[in-house]
Amino acid sequence: MTVVGPFGLSVRDQALEADVQAGLAAVEEGLLEATKSGVPFITEAAQHLVRAGGKRFRPLLVMLAAQFGDPYAPGVVPSAVVVELTHLATLYHDDVMDEADMRRGAPSANARWGNSLAVLTGDFLFSRASWILADLGPEAVRIQAEAFERLVTGQILETAGPLDGRDPIEHYLDVIGGKTGSLIAVSGRYGAMMSGADERVVETLTHYGERLGAAFQLADDVLDIASDSHESGKTPGTDLREGIPTLPVLHLRARAEATGDPDDLELCALLDGDLADDGRLAEVLRRLRAHPALEQARRDTVRYAEEARATLAPLPECPARAALEELCDAVVHRAG
C-alpha cells in the first residue's frame, strides 16, 4: 500500500499512484513558475505559502477526477494550478481579515510584511491564476468566475451574519458552501472536464466536490478547537479569537438557548468576551474540547462526507473511484 497526497491518502493501484504523483509534481512546478516575478520581493512574498507546503487537496482532486477521462490531457495540470493559486490567494486575504499570526506552521504573510502587502500579494496570485485560465477557454473562465463569486459571497455572508429569524446553523452551512465548497467543486469539475470525461461524470464529480468541500471545512472547524498548532499549522482557537461562528460554537449557542444550562451560558459568555487573553482562550478551548457540541460537529462532518461518497455511485468501479471514496474517510479522520 502506498501513500500519496494529503492526510496520508493511500492509493493501492501503481498506475494511479504514478499518475497522481506525476501530476502533483507538475502542479508544484507550475505553482513556482506562476509565482515568479521580475521583482524579487514579489516572488518571495508570492511563494511564501507555496514553499510552506500545504495539503494540495484541490490539485489532488483534479488529478483523481481526470482519471475518468485522459489524465494526460494538456489542460489538467494548468487547471489544478489555477484552483490552488486561487485558494492560496484567499489565504493571504483570510489571514488579514482574521489577523492571524501563523499559517501552515510559519508566520503568516501579514505578520511578516503587514496587511497591505499581504492583500496585494493575494491580488497578484489572483492575476496569475487568471492569466493561466485564459488559455483554458471561455467555459473554464466562466466556471471560475461563478465559483469566485460564490466564494466572495460566502465570505460576505459570514461577515454580515444571518438575517433576523434565520437559523444561524443553516446560514453557516450556506456560508461554507460558498467559501469552501465552491472551489473544491470546481476542482472536481475541472479535472473531469479537462480530461474529456462524459458530461454526466463531470456533473457527478462537481456534486461530489461540493459535499466533500463542506465536510472539509467542518473538519477544519473541529481542528481549530481540538488540535494543536503542530497538527493544523495554525494557532488553535484562531477562529474563536476572531469571533468566527464555527459549527461547534453554533451548536453550543443553540444548546444554551434551548436548555438554559448555566455552564453552557457561562461558556457562551466567555466566548463573547476578550479572547485576546491567552489564559481566557485556553480555558475556552479546554471546555469546548470536552463539550458535546464538538462531538455534534464531528457527526455533521461525517454526514457530509457520507453524502459525498454517495454521489459517486454512478461512476464505474475503478481505482480512482476507490481513492475518491477513501478521500471521504481521510477528511473525516482529520476531525477525529
Side-chain angles (χ1 to χ4, degrees):
M1 182 172 67
T2 56
V3 174
V4 61
F7 325 129
L9 174 67
S10 58
V11 175
R12 296 171 175 82
D13 181 87
Q14 290 185 348
L16 176 59
E17 181 202 5
D19 282 350
V20 171
Q21 292 281 22
L24 291 176
V27 168
E28 211 63 28
E29 292 179 8
L31 288 171
L32 290 173
E33 185 62 31
T35 48
K36 287 180 181 177
S37 167
V39 180
F41 172 73
I42 295 177
T43 301
E44 180 186 6
Q47 292 185 351
H48 177 64
L49 287 184
V50 174
R51 294 188 181 277
K55 296 174 284 290
R56 303 294 188 256
F57 181 79
R58 292 153 188 84
L60 174 66
L61 183 51
V62 174
M63 296 304 141
L64 291 174
Q67 291 292 319
F68 295 90
D70 175 9
Y72 313 112
V76 172
V77 168
S79 70
V81 173
V82 165
V83 292
E84 188 67 8
L85 282 175
T86 304
H87 171 59
L88 289 172
T90 66
L91 297 185
Y92 282 85
H93 289 180
D94 281 352
D95 285 345
V96 170
M97 294 181 68
D98 299 343
E99 299 179 359
D101 295 324
M102 287 181 64
R103 171 68 70 175
R104 296 182 173 176
S108 62
N110 51 298
R112 185 169 176 182
W113 293 296
N115 286 345
S116 295
L117 284 172
V119 169
L120 291 170
T121 301
D123 293 344
F124 176 80
L125 296 184
F126 282 130
S127 71
R128 287 300 175 90
S130 299
W131 184 78
I132 296 169
L133 196 60
D135 288 334
L136 298 179
E139 178 66 6
V141 173
R142 183 189 63 78
I143 290 169
Q144 171 78 349
E146 289 178 351
F148 192 51
E149 178 185 348
R150 287 188 61 206
L151 192 157
V152 173
T153 299
Q155 183 66 67
I156 292 171
L157 288 174
E158 179 181 76
T159 304
L163 296 173
D164 290 343
R166 179 91 195 276
D167 178 17
I169 292 177
E170 288 183 6
H171 172 83
Y172 180 67
L173 294 176
D174 284 345
V175 165
I176 66 172
K179 277 189 61 179
T180 306
S182 60
L183 197 56
I184 294 179
V186 165
S187 300
R189 189 176 194 89
Y190 274 166
M193 186 176 84
M194 295 298 169
S195 72
D198 183 271
E199 183 59 31
R200 288 171 297 177
V201 173
V202 174
E203 290 302 316
T204 294
L205 290 168
T206 302
H207 293 311
Y208 167 82
E210 187 84 29
R211 307 313 283 174
L212 190 68
F216 185 87
Q217 180 58 57
L218 296 183
D220 264 4
D221 286 1
V222 172
L223 279 172
D224 184 64
I225 294 168
S227 73
D228 58 31
S229 58
H230 176 73
E231 290 176 285
S232 64
K234 66 177 184 178
T235 305
T238 295
D239 293 338
L240 298 180
R241 183 165 266 168
E242 294 308 313
I244 297 172
T246 58
L247 191 62
V249 172
L250 292 173
H251 279 316
L252 166 68
R253 293 189 187 280
R255 177 187 170 109
E257 183 177 349
T259 67
D261 182 272
D263 289 338
D264 289 350
L265 292 171
E266 182 185 12
L267 182 50
C268 288
L270 283 171
L271 283 163
D272 292 334
D274 182 11
L275 295 183
D277 179 77
D278 289 342
R280 188 184 185 107
L281 179 63
E283 172 67 10
V284 167
L285 285 170
R286 182 188 68 78
R287 292 176 65 169
L288 277 174
R289 286 166 180 167
H291 198 279
L294 186 63
E295 183 57 36
Q296 191 170 358
R298 285 194 175 102
R299 291 196 298 271
D300 290 331
T301 304
V302 172
R303 174 168 59 85
Y304 273 95
E306 288 305 312
E307 288 176 4
R309 186 197 306 275
T311 66
L312 298 172
L315 298 180
E317 294 281 356
C318 63
R321 173 175 161 175
L324 291 170
E325 290 172 344
E326 185 164 340
L327 201 53
C328 297
D329 296 331
V331 167
V332 168
H333 178 71
R334 295 176 68 230

